[in-house]
Amino acid sequence: MTKAPFVAMAAATAALGTALGSLALQLRADGYEQYVESVGTFSVLMYVTAALVVVTWVRDGRPHAN
């Protein structure tokens, strides 16, 4: 497989994780504590997903044994 889908997916997912982390900090600053944990958890989930996409990309680049 080409690198483009993996790079785009990993970058988009990491960007979403960053945006959600920023939103969690803003929610905490504005006093919406009841939402901070959920948004923070989803932010971490996006970073984990981005890492798994990178792992898949690395594993796809290795030679396949028959």
Side-chain angles (χ1 to χ4, degrees):
M1 228 179 193
T2 63
K3 294 180 182 179
F6 290 111
V7 173
M9 181 67 170
T13 309
L16 180 58
T18 302
L20 288 169
S22 176
L23 175 62
L25 292 174
Q26 187 64 41
L27 287 171
R28 177 166 287 164
D30 291 343
Y32 292 102
E33 290 289 328
Q34 67 268 26
Y35 303 113
V36 172
E37 185 178 353
S38 298
V39 174
T41 301
F42 196 65
S43 174
V44 170
L45 181 66
M46 291 297 100
Y47 283 120
V48 170
T49 303
L52 290 174
V53 169
V54 170
V55 168
T56 303
W57 176 23
V58 169
R59 288 180 55 96
D60 183 63
R62 296 188 336 198
H64 299 282
N66 288 337

